[in-house]
Amino acid sequence: MTASPKHQMSEKERYANFLYNKEDGTYLGRSKEGWAKICLFYLVFYGMLAALVAICMWVFFQTLDPRIPKWQMDSSIIGTNPGLGFRPMPTADNAESTLIWFEGSNKTNFNKWVNNLSAFLDKYYTPGKTEKGTASIRKCSYNQPPKRGQVCDFDVRLWGECSPDKFFNYHRNAPCIFLKLNRIYGWVPEYYNDIHDLPENMPDDLKKHIASVKPEERNTIWISCEGENPADIEYLGPISYHPQVQGFPGYYYPYENSEGYLSPLVAVQFLRPVSGIVINIECKAWAKNIKHSRADRTGSVHFELLID
Amino acid sequence: MGKKKEAKPRKLNRKDQSLKRLENFKKEIVTDHHTVPIDVLCSRLETDIERGLSQYKARQLFMETGPNALTPSRKTPEYIKFIKTITEGFSLLLWIGASLCIIAAVIEYVYRKKVDTDNLLLAAVLVLIIIMTGIFMYYQQNKSSKIMDSFATMIPQKAEVIRDGQQITVNVKDLVVGDLVDMKFGDRIPADVRITKSQGFKVDNSSITGENEPLLRTNQCTNENILETRNVAFFSTNAVEGTAQGIVIMCGDHTVMGKIAGLTARLHPSITPLARELNRFMTIITFWAVILGIIFGVASIAIGYPWIDSALFIIGIIVSNVPEGLLATVTLSLTVTAKKMALKNCLVKNLEAVETLGSTNVVCSDKTGTLTQNKMTVCHLWYNGDVVQADISEDQYDARKYTETPGFDILIRCATLCNRAEFINTRTPRKYIMKWEVRGDASEAAILKFIELTRLEGDPDEFRKAHKKLIELPFNSTSKIQLSIHALANNCLMVMKGAPERILERCKTIFINDDVEELSDELRQTCEKACFELAARGERILGFCDMEMKDTYTYSYPFTIDPLPNFPTEGLRFVGFISLIDPPRPEVHNAVETCKTAGIKVIMVTGDHPVTAKAIAKEVGIITTDSIEDAALFYNADHDETKDAIVVSGTTLRELQQDELDAILYTYNEIVFARTSPTQKLQIVEGLQRLKNIVAVTGDGVNDSPALKKADIGIAMGISGSEVSQQSADMILMDDNFASIITGIEEGRKIFDNLKKSIVYVLASNIAELAPCLMFIVCNIPLPLGILAILCIDVLTDMLPAISLAYEKAESDIMKRTPRNPNVDNLVTFRLYFLAYCHIGVLEACAGFFVYFLIMYEYGFKPNRLFGLRPEWDTYYINDLEDSYGQEWSYEERKQLEYTCSTAFMIAVVVCQWGDVLACKTRLNSIMVQGMTNWFMNVSILIETLLAIFLTYTPYMSYLKFYPVGLHCWLYALPFSGLILLFDEYRKFCIRNYPRGYFYRETYY
């Protein structure tokens, strides 16, 4: 009931005894066999637990289709408002900036942008490289949309000037920026294909362009790029879009996770931007079911250009 | 963090000073101021027995010694106390977490000019939790001690003092040593005073001795010990009769009362066992969290993570390891128990004391007023040659049945007439005569009540009126007798009572065998023997005798007693003894027995005489054997080892060395300390604590207060207890019933068991919180459980079920086992961690990850895609992260997915905690045996769930990173919840059936 007043070990001794007790041959209060037993027990226990979890997972995964996501578009979090992205991407060492800054006269300087682009476009130049040959790739056009399971190839010649051979024209201070729309399974754009039903805020240039496009080619997600402020517009100068249709052709949609699918790209070339000044540029993708949100970076994209 | 030892001598700092002062207060008073001849004292104090001090000298002394008052102890300012509460234990870890958050946010702002709302929010929430817990704990701990204030109420304001031969009234504060003071009945004594002159001066020393009976004070020194001698009256005690004059020998803090007050106010109660356990627990958790944090922090920096990320990892590890809600849970559980106990008349002042009673293994009980009723009661009668036991139970119902033998009749007549006590408000009938109010001396009151009970002669008041009192000689301490003469029908009756030996020596005849006989030597011896036997029981004995007076003494005879009685006062007829005792409370015997069954040693520590103490101790079962060791013999070579019980008197105790006292406390099971001073009570408590006992002290008087304060748990009496004792105590028995302590012990033991369950419950979710964080670092998966979600689990959903475990009923008869050994039976043991972390915790983590991977897959990220994905996932500029279906996720979208998973993970933990709380209901029994009658728990599970639903489905919760999840997510975790319960049932089954098996050895907590 009560502790004897004598017979007390020092703190240090007790500690040492706990670590290794010579008398009982115990380490950390447990003999070697004890440790072996307990390790074995937990090996078995956790093994069984892991197996159980694995089995549960496997069973549940059987209910899911490996090629079709369970939740799509609005029932998923990904939603129906695809993000718009641009390439080249700023490098990781300047992670959160959106500034494309280069010196046209300095090859080593602009080469990192060019390499970045080349790497990104690699699969467009060698289609089917990533797949194992199971993809059925074919040439599509507005009149010949792909059948189910087929994917459309992408004619890199449509990018014209914007090719790796020409360093995407970075060396001539007329850089190409590639725009891409995030893939969303099953998402079908609702096109602005009626020239009388175009939104108010669509740039006039684009409206004119749409009017000039052949009606069957109007099933396109249009792209427009502008300087953000009047000054930026002035500094930015003329813009040319490749391919000529100035958008993502509708026959690439919907994306259904088919082998070899390549997202359509639009190369935007800024022909004569003023150098030595940061130009704010905003590009937008236009379809009735694309909402532009700067904060979520969906439907529109912002970047800056600085040429030394 | 080694402590630096400062070798160089320095001035005493504040702490040392107060320690030194405390040591001074602890010393017994050794002085000869009361033994030396009065003129020696006068010359020593430069005073005069007639004229007192000179005004000049008094002023000079006042300048030197300061006022005659109690020095208040230094109080810690409130804000310091509050700061202490928010920097203790886990709070410190959380501060680290919060400051890491803020540092990260500041760096973010400085380098990127971006306000990092996530980290700032997290820091704010952490600080909020710290402050809330701090305020909560502060309120619980903040029992502003009013000990000194309660002492102050005992101190008189004014005193009559003679200086330069002139009587003046001064403030008591202005008194100095050597002052000559006048005191009269009704006053409080203004300082420790040596009496120089007195007329029937009586004081009530109950505040020092605990025994409230008037004690005579004269100018004769009767004892070496200042507490026992008759010529000293003590500061703040009450003068109840007579007048006196005396010289002040001690002032202020140096007085006996000053020492008690100083001791009580300055003693730091030893840290409660529960606090010790909690500190240990917090140390372990802190250590573990810090080690883990450092390992992963350093490793991640070494691997090359940016150190902002590393800081994030450390925050995660700290937050998930710290059970933020635990302290509040413990406090609330204790509050719940305290409320329950309050209903059973135990008022708990200090919450942690709730548990202390449960681990108590020694109870030191004061006798008077705690074990006994503090009411003198007639307990034996001796008449006609026989001892008759009186009924001392509370209702005294049996008392009405005393046989009406002639001897009884005579004794009662004598006792009725020779009694000055009177009932106050007799006409308002009260339930028990015991509780009627009486004007008069305690013994006489007891006899009067006894007479009223028997009603042998009808209403005693009427009887007395019928037999008119002709003359009376009041009791006085020199003659030790009281006599009165009453008119009978034809002649006069003289009745006398007093000390037995004085009465017997005045008697010539005796009423025995229904007849009057000559009081022969033989009969005289019989009487003395009877008297001796009753005295041995610790009873106070009064002898009674009467005489029908000769015809010469008629009503008209001019009886007088001044200067000497003009009538014979010898040759009376002895009629019997009445013995009185302060009887034990009826429930005490059972309570003591229960204590003993529960392995608790009950020690009596009293200011009363050894004989009385021993008798009461035997009566209530504190001493159960007849072979009682005399403490004086303890260190003789031939003391009897076999004896189990010992009675130690204060005088003996004074001569014992510390280790000798310890040896006595250790050796004997049944101990009674009698005639102890307040400091000795304290010494006993300290001795017991040196032997690593958890000591409960019960007491009601001012004299008990140092011991009450020092004890692990001090228990004061609510009705009879003095204010000082109540202020010093941790717990108050509102009905003064010692048996209520049993309730306390039971609740204390139960709460200890239940706290263990709460801790297992709370700790189990820790693994489910920590594992995501580790997986996040090691496997580079997107964060499965956000820090805010962790905090919500800890301080919101887990709280109520954890508290509800406090309502769980005991699994077995907890009063049949011995108290826990505080050195071995810890609150949190290795086994407990093991069970919580390695069994239940792992299962919960599995459930969480199961849900996490499933949801990620459903939305497009297969498990193999997730591993190593974290760097891209968390990079803001990557706005098109590809999932397993080739879809591209923008940053905002995938963050929303991450938070959805985090919410689902939280729900999985909540669902698992359902199973966990059911598993934690019992430590040994099956839940089938325990039942689901704990409705607080059932409701708390519901509330836990509602809280989770609220967090998940309320629209604006997205600001706190909670997103709605499908109902099926709740179902995914359900099998795991069931598995936890099933596995634990199996574990308990094994423990019950294989008491030495693996599960018992490794997981029984």
Side-chain angles (χ1 to χ4, degrees):
Chain A
M1 188 158 94
T2 43
S4 157
K6 300 136 209 159
H7 189 77
Q8 290 217 338
M9 277 193 283
S10 75
E11 190 77 5
K12 214 173 165 186
E13 264 179 318
R14 274 218 310 263
Y15 196 65
N17 243 352
F18 175 69
L19 284 179
Y20 175 61
N21 189 334
K22 237 179 226 165
E23 274 172 50
D24 310 337
T26 56
Y27 303 86
L28 295 168
R30 205 182 285 280
S31 68
K32 274 183 206 158
E33 297 86 65
W35 277 113
K37 267 188 209 163
I38 203 164
C39 288
L40 188 72
F41 177 86
Y42 280 96
L43 210 65
V44 173
F45 180 59
Y46 289 149
M48 281 164 61
L49 199 59
L52 191 79
V53 174
I55 290 169
C56 284
M57 282 219 185
W58 185 80
V59 168
F60 271 93
F61 290 172
Q62 292 314 300
T63 67
L64 300 173
D65 192 301
R67 299 210 60 85
I68 305 166
K70 178 170 180 179
W71 307 116
Q72 294 171 17
M73 298 193 284
D74 277 334
S75 59
S76 170
I77 290 165
I78 198 162
T80 51
N81 202 23
L84 189 64
F86 69 95
R87 293 290 188 282
M89 277 229 264
T91 43
D93 57 289
N94 199 7
E96 305 211 345
S97 102
T98 48
L99 176 67
I100 298 169
W101 179 15
F102 67 95
E103 229 177 302
S105 53
N106 183 345
K107 188 168 181 180
T108 46
N109 179 289
F110 69 72
N111 232 4
K112 68 174 182 193
W113 301 107
V114 172
N115 291 341
N116 184 310
L117 269 179
S118 301
F120 172 66
L121 296 174
D122 192 36
K123 53 183 179 281
Y124 288 85
Y125 284 93
T126 51
K129 184 182 164 193
T130 45
E131 288 72 30
K132 294 126 228 157
T134 51
S136 83
I137 305 169
R138 53 163 293 201
K139 215 170 156 56
C140 313
S141 72
Y142 288 96
N143 301 323
Q144 291 170 296
K147 296 198 180 71
R148 213 181 163 72
Q150 293 179 323
V151 293
C152 301
D153 75 342
F154 198 94
D155 187 359
V156 294
R157 283 168 302 176
L158 291 175
W159 291 328
E161 294 271 285
C162 301
S163 81
D165 309 336
K166 295 178 178 164
F167 305 115
F168 304 103
N169 272 326
Y170 277 64
H171 64 303
R172 289 166 57 191
N173 285 357
C176 292
I177 309 289
F178 285 79
L179 296 179
K180 62 185 279 289
L181 204 59
N182 280 0
R183 287 195 291 261
I184 293 175
Y185 190 96
W187 181 73
V188 183
E190 291 163 24
Y191 309 103
Y192 286 118
N193 46 13
D194 179 358
I195 50 168
H196 304 294
D197 183 26
L198 297 177
E200 290 275 303
N201 57 350
M202 187 182 267
D204 292 340
D205 287 352
L206 183 57
K207 283 181 182 167
K208 273 182 226 154
H209 171 78
I210 294 171
S212 70
V213 169
K214 281 181 270 175
E216 69 267 24
E217 290 185 5
R218 284 181 190 156
N219 282 352
T220 298
I221 301 171
W222 310 107
I223 287 292
S224 70
C225 286
E226 278 186 319
E228 277 187 352
N229 307 308
D232 291 318
I233 296 172
E234 198 188 320
Y235 295 137
L236 191 57
I239 304 167
S240 97
Y241 299 90
H242 314 274
Q244 293 291 312
V245 72
Q246 198 183 338
F248 308 116
Y251 50 81
Y252 286 96
Y253 299 95
Y255 165 71
E256 276 170 335
N257 198 17
S258 308
E259 292 277 354
Y261 178 90
L262 289 173
S263 297
L265 299 177
V266 171
V268 184
Q269 191 179 12
F270 304 104
L271 297 173
R272 287 187 297 279
V274 174
S275 57
I277 203 159
V278 176
I279 308 167
N280 291 298
I281 302 162
E282 188 172 37
C283 295
K284 287 177 178 166
W286 295 90
K288 283 175 189 155
N289 53 355
I290 293 177
K291 287 168 206 75
H292 303 133
S293 162
R294 190 81 175 264
D296 294 344
R297 290 181 292 170
T298 48
S300 74
V301 68
H302 160 96
F303 55 86
E304 301 98 36
L305 192 63
L306 174 57
I307 302 169
D308 278 334
Chain B
M1 295 208 295
K3 279 182 196 161
K4 281 179 196 163
K5 276 186 186 156
E6 285 176 43
K8 64 176 181 186
R10 61 200 163 98
K11 262 180 79 179
L12 289 177
N13 65 23
R14 194 184 282 174
K15 202 173 171 185
D16 293 337
Q17 267 178 4
S18 87
L19 212 70
K20 209 172 161 198
R21 199 174 279 169
L22 181 63
E23 283 311 312
N24 272 335
F25 281 121
K26 272 190 193 173
K27 281 181 198 145
E28 284 279 341
I29 297 169
V30 180
T31 178
D32 60 353
H33 279 351
H34 61 291
T35 50
V36 293
I38 194 79
D39 43 332
V40 177
L41 182 72
C42 283
S43 60
R44 194 189 283 172
L45 300 178
E46 297 175 46
T47 183
D48 186 274
I49 193 161
E50 292 298 331
R51 298 178 54 80
L53 285 175
S54 65
Q55 286 283 7
Y56 172 74
K57 175 75 182 164
R59 237 188 338 267
Q60 195 186 11
L61 272 174
F62 184 81
M63 301 300 273
E64 279 172 29
T65 57
N68 171 33
L70 305 178
T71 324
S73 61
R74 199 181 297 275
K75 276 184 188 152
T76 326
E78 294 299 307
Y79 68 93
I80 300 249
K81 280 192 202 161
F82 182 68
I83 289 174
K84 242 179 167 174
T85 49
I86 59 168
T87 49
E88 273 175 343
F90 292 144
S91 301
L92 216 55
L93 271 182
L94 294 183
W95 280 121
I96 295 174
S99 41
L100 280 176
C101 287
I102 290 170
I103 291 170
V106 166
I107 288 176
E108 188 82 9
Y109 185 74
V110 168
Y111 284 96
R112 304 211 179 124
K113 294 278 176 261
K114 231 183 85 183
V115 180
D116 186 350
T117 43
D118 283 6
N119 272 328
L120 286 179
L121 178 69
L122 190 56
V125 171
L126 283 175
V127 171
L128 187 76
I129 288 175
I130 298 168
I131 302 282
M132 293 289 277
T133 324
I135 290 174
F136 187 70
M137 301 303 278
Y138 173 78
Y139 263 97
Q140 293 297 349
Q141 288 169 6
N142 192 24
K143 297 158 296 290
S144 58
S145 172
K146 296 198 178 81
I147 288 178
M148 268 304 177
D149 299 349
S150 59
F151 271 106
T153 60
M154 296 173 50
I155 293 166
Q157 290 298 313
K158 301 275 180 191
E160 298 289 317
V161 61
I162 297 159
R163 284 179 186 165
D164 283 334
Q166 282 178 335
Q167 181 154 1
I168 47 173
T169 306
V170 296
N171 282 329
V172 164
K173 274 193 298 204
D174 298 334
L175 279 187
V176 290
V177 170
D179 261 332
L180 192 62
V181 287
D182 266 339
M183 295 159 289
K184 63 174 191 305
F185 62 94
D187 285 351
R188 282 180 184 239
I189 312 295
D192 282 3
V193 176
R194 174 170 172 173
I195 308 290
T196 51
K197 281 182 218 158
S198 74
Q199 285 92 37
F201 191 57
K202 282 189 180 175
V203 290
D204 178 0
N205 272 356
S206 61
S207 55
I208 288 168
T209 61
E211 311 297 318
N212 57 353
E213 73 188 289
L215 299 171
L216 190 75
R217 297 284 104 160
T218 65
N219 57 2
Q220 284 154 12
C221 173
T222 53
N223 201 309
E224 284 285 310
N225 182 350
I226 191 164
L227 288 175
E228 303 276 345
T229 185
R230 253 194 206 160
N231 61 345
V232 180
F234 299 106
F235 190 27
S236 91
T237 57
N238 274 323
V240 288
E241 266 179 53
T243 56
Q245 197 172 62
I247 294 171
V248 173
I249 53 173
M250 298 282 187
C251 271
D253 287 335
H254 303 286
T255 60
V256 173
M257 186 50 64
K259 292 213 173 200
I260 296 177
L263 257 184
T264 313
R266 283 175 181 79
L267 272 177
H268 286 287
S270 45
I271 176 168
T272 64
L274 184 66
R276 218 177 297 160
E277 293 296 331
L278 287 176
N279 285 345
R280 185 172 166 275
F281 172 65
M282 287 194 279
T283 316
I284 295 173
I285 288 281
T286 308
F287 201 64
W288 163 247
V290 166
I291 293 264
L292 216 60
I294 289 175
I295 289 176
F296 279 92
V298 168
S300 61
I301 288 175
I303 290 168
Y305 280 111
W307 82 268
I308 287 237
D309 283 12
S310 309
L312 200 73
F313 296 159
I314 296 173
I315 296 166
I317 286 171
I318 288 177
V319 170
S320 57
N321 261 312
V322 174
E324 289 84 4
L326 191 81
L327 284 187
T329 304
V330 170
T331 313
L332 283 171
S333 301
L334 291 175
T335 315
V336 163
T337 311
K339 287 250 166 71
K340 241 191 288 179
M341 286 166 75
L343 290 178
K344 295 177 185 170
N345 285 320
C346 290
L347 186 75
V348 180
K349 281 174 60 197
N350 176 2
L351 268 189
E352 280 166 2
V354 171
E355 193 279 324
T356 312
L357 254 190
S359 43
T360 294
N361 60 351
V362 179
V363 175
C364 287
S365 180
D366 179 40
K367 179 183 77 73
T368 316
T370 312
L371 297 175
T372 69
Q373 304 171 7
N374 201 10
K375 270 189 191 114
M376 273 295 168
T377 308
V378 172
C379 75
H380 285 104
L381 304 152
W382 189 92
Y383 58 87
N384 211 0
D386 290 317
V387 176
V388 173
Q389 176 142 19
D391 180 13
I392 52 169
S393 66
E394 199 170 14
D395 54 12
Q396 288 187 315
Y397 190 72
D398 292 341
R400 298 184 192 278
K401 292 189 278 187
Y402 297 125
T403 47
E404 252 184 71
T405 58
F408 186 68
D409 190 22
I410 293 169
L411 177 61
I412 289 303
R413 182 180 71 176
C414 181
T416 314
L417 292 177
C418 192
N419 194 329
R420 300 170 70 194
E422 283 165 41
F423 284 118
I424 308 170
N425 304 329
T426 21
R427 301 302 154 230
T428 47
R430 217 79 66 70
K431 199 174 173 197
Y432 301 128
I433 293 172
M434 275 299 283
K435 294 193 174 152
W436 288 14
E437 279 176 73
V438 177
R439 185 185 301 122
D441 165 63
S443 316
E444 294 206 318
I447 294 171
L448 179 66
K449 283 175 184 171
F450 180 75
I451 295 162
E452 171 69 23
L453 268 174
T454 59
R455 282 266 183 164
L456 197 62
E457 308 280 2
D459 187 337
D461 222 27
E462 296 293 317
F463 186 74
R464 278 190 219 159
K465 270 182 201 151
H467 301 89
K468 199 168 156 266
K469 192 188 285 176
L470 299 173
I471 194 163
E472 176 179 55
L473 175 66
F475 186 85
N476 93 38
S477 52
T478 35
S479 67
K480 289 189 174 168
I481 58 160
Q482 169 182 357
L483 75 78
S484 54
I485 295 172
H486 297 264
L488 289 187
N490 304 317
N491 51 0
C492 293
L493 178 73
M494 174 156 70
V495 286
M496 190 188 288
K497 80 166 180 219
E501 65 278 5
R502 295 290 169 92
I503 293 292
L504 276 174
E505 74 195 15
R506 285 167 196 264
C507 290
K508 223 161 78 185
T509 55
I510 178 169
F511 186 87
I512 198 163
N513 304 331
D514 296 344
D515 203 3
V516 180
E517 284 180 25
E518 191 72 22
L519 188 59
S520 62
D521 283 350
E522 199 182 327
L523 278 172
R524 208 176 274 274
Q525 270 168 18
T526 318
C527 295
E528 276 165 4
K529 194 165 152 256
C531 177
F532 181 77
E533 272 170 11
L534 292 175
R537 295 174 197 246
E539 293 168 16
R540 179 189 297 171
I541 302 158
L542 291 171
F544 289 85
C545 57
D546 65 0
M547 179 169 70
E548 286 188 21
M549 313 217 30
K550 286 183 192 127
D551 295 342
T552 40
Y553 304 104
T554 55
Y555 319 136
S556 44
Y557 181 79
F559 289 109
T560 176
I561 51 164
D562 207 25
L564 281 169
N566 58 352
F567 51 89
T569 57
E570 296 203 350
L572 286 88
R573 174 178 69 160
F574 182 69
V575 295
F577 299 120
I578 292 181
S579 74
L580 300 141
I581 200 161
D582 177 15
R585 293 167 184 276
E587 63 282 347
V588 167
H589 191 274
N590 280 337
V592 170
E593 198 125 296
T594 317
C595 281
K596 288 191 167 175
T597 333
I600 298 163
K601 186 156 143 180
V602 184
I603 293 177
M604 183 194 277
V605 183
T606 177
D608 209 344
H609 290 279
V611 181
T612 324
K614 190 158 78 183
I616 295 288
K618 272 187 162 177
E619 197 132 341
V620 299
I622 289 177
I623 290 182
T624 51
T625 161
D626 279 330
S627 56
I628 299 164
E629 180 70 276
D630 183 357
L633 297 176
F634 183 68
Y635 272 89
N636 285 1
D638 51 43
H639 83 270
D640 190 350
E641 299 253 339
T642 59
K643 286 182 179 173
D644 220 18
I646 191 167
V647 178
V648 186
S649 74
T651 343
T652 323
L653 190 56
R654 192 184 294 267
E655 281 152 21
L656 289 179
Q657 296 296 313
Q658 184 172 307
D659 54 334
E660 291 173 325
L661 173 64
D662 290 1
I664 287 179
L665 293 171
Y666 183 65
T667 316
Y668 291 93
N669 276 328
E670 299 176 340
I671 309 175
V672 169
F673 289 98
R675 259 348 226 180
T676 47
S677 69
T679 19
Q680 283 174 332
K681 289 193 179 195
L682 181 65
Q683 277 169 15
I684 293 164
V685 172
E686 285 176 333
L688 286 165
Q689 286 176 337
R690 268 198 299 279
L691 297 173
K692 304 253 188 287
N693 288 300
I694 308 291
V695 187
V697 170
T698 68
D700 60 345
V702 176
N703 61 324
D704 300 316
S705 49
L708 284 173
K709 182 88 181 287
K710 180 69 194 174
D712 294 286
I713 173 166
I715 304 166
M717 298 294 147
I719 303 168
S720 60
S722 58
E723 201 199 331
V724 175
S725 71
Q726 291 180 359
Q727 288 290 349
S728 319
D730 304 298
M731 199 167 118
I732 298 169
L733 301 180
M734 296 315 286
D735 55 355
D736 284 17
N737 188 342
F738 183 79
S740 304
I741 294 178
I742 302 295
T743 320
I745 292 172
E746 206 171 336
E747 290 294 337
R749 290 184 176 188
K750 202 164 82 186
I751 196 65
F752 190 77
D753 286 356
N754 286 346
L755 276 181
K756 278 183 174 179
K757 297 174 187 172
S758 294
I759 291 175
V760 173
Y761 172 78
V762 167
L763 285 186
S765 62
N766 264 17
I767 285 292
E769 290 160 8
L770 182 64
C773 196
L774 298 188
M775 287 284 276
F776 173 66
I777 302 168
V778 175
C779 299
N780 268 327
I781 58 175
L783 188 63
L785 184 64
I787 294 177
L788 279 172
I790 291 176
L791 288 173
C792 284
I793 293 173
D794 280 351
V795 302
L796 289 177
T797 63
D798 267 3
M799 275 293 248
L800 273 181
I803 295 163
S804 75
L805 283 165
Y807 284 92
E808 208 50 52
K809 62 178 185 243
E811 284 177 64
S812 55
D813 194 348
I814 39 179
M815 290 310 279
K816 291 238 164 74
R817 64 181 196 217
T818 52
R820 74 186 180 94
N821 178 345
N823 299 318
V824 184
D825 304 333
N826 292 113
L827 181 66
V828 210
T829 56
F830 186 67
R831 293 165 174 188
L832 187 146
Y833 281 114
F834 207 60
L835 178 71
Y837 277 6
C838 298
H839 288 226
I840 304 173
V842 167
L843 274 164
E844 289 194 4
C846 283
F849 280 111
F850 179 65
V851 172
Y852 168 79
F853 283 121
L854 230 54
I855 290 181
M856 278 294 192
Y857 198 148
E858 283 180 354
Y859 281 99
F861 290 88
K862 296 181 186 172
N864 55 357
R865 177 82 179 103
L866 289 171
F867 288 94
L869 190 61
R870 186 193 69 82
E872 292 155 272
W873 184 280
D874 286 341
T875 306
Y876 179 75
Y877 75 94
I878 296 181
N879 206 31
D880 51 358
L881 189 73
E882 205 172 308
D883 70 10
S884 308
Y885 292 97
Q887 305 188 89
E888 287 168 325
W889 293 71
S890 73
Y891 181 80
E892 303 298 333
E893 286 158 2
R894 61 179 188 264
K895 276 289 156 184
Q896 196 184 332
L897 174 58
E898 177 187 318
Y899 301 148
T900 306
C901 286
S902 166
T903 311
F905 201 113
M906 181 191 82
I907 284 168
V909 172
V910 168
V911 170
C912 283
Q913 290 288 69
W914 295 345
D916 186 21
V917 75
L918 296 182
C920 289
K921 269 173 88 86
T922 57
R923 297 190 302 147
L924 191 67
N925 289 346
S926 161
I927 190 166
M928 300 299 189
V929 177
Q930 187 79 354
M932 288 294 291
T933 49
N934 181 352
W935 281 100
F936 188 89
M937 175 179 288
N938 303 347
V939 171
S940 73
I941 294 177
L942 187 71
I943 294 176
E944 172 193 16
T945 314
L946 288 176
L947 267 172
I949 290 174
F950 173 80
L951 287 175
T952 314
Y953 299 109
T954 315
Y956 292 102
M957 280 298 159
S958 53
Y959 290 110
L960 293 176
K961 300 182 180 175
F962 291 106
Y963 281 86
V965 295
L967 284 175
H968 58 285
C969 295
W970 294 77
L971 297 178
Y972 289 158
L974 213 52
F976 289 89
S977 189
L979 193 62
I980 289 173
L981 186 56
L982 274 182
F983 176 75
D984 215 61
E985 279 292 304
Y986 171 70
R987 186 182 68 84
K988 285 174 207 154
F989 174 82
C990 289
I991 292 175
R992 288 196 300 273
N993 289 287
Y994 308 102
R996 301 252 72 82
Y998 171 80
F999 281 114
Y1000 176 81
R1001 273 181 290 118
E1002 304 300 342
T1003 68
Y1004 183 65
Y1005 58 92

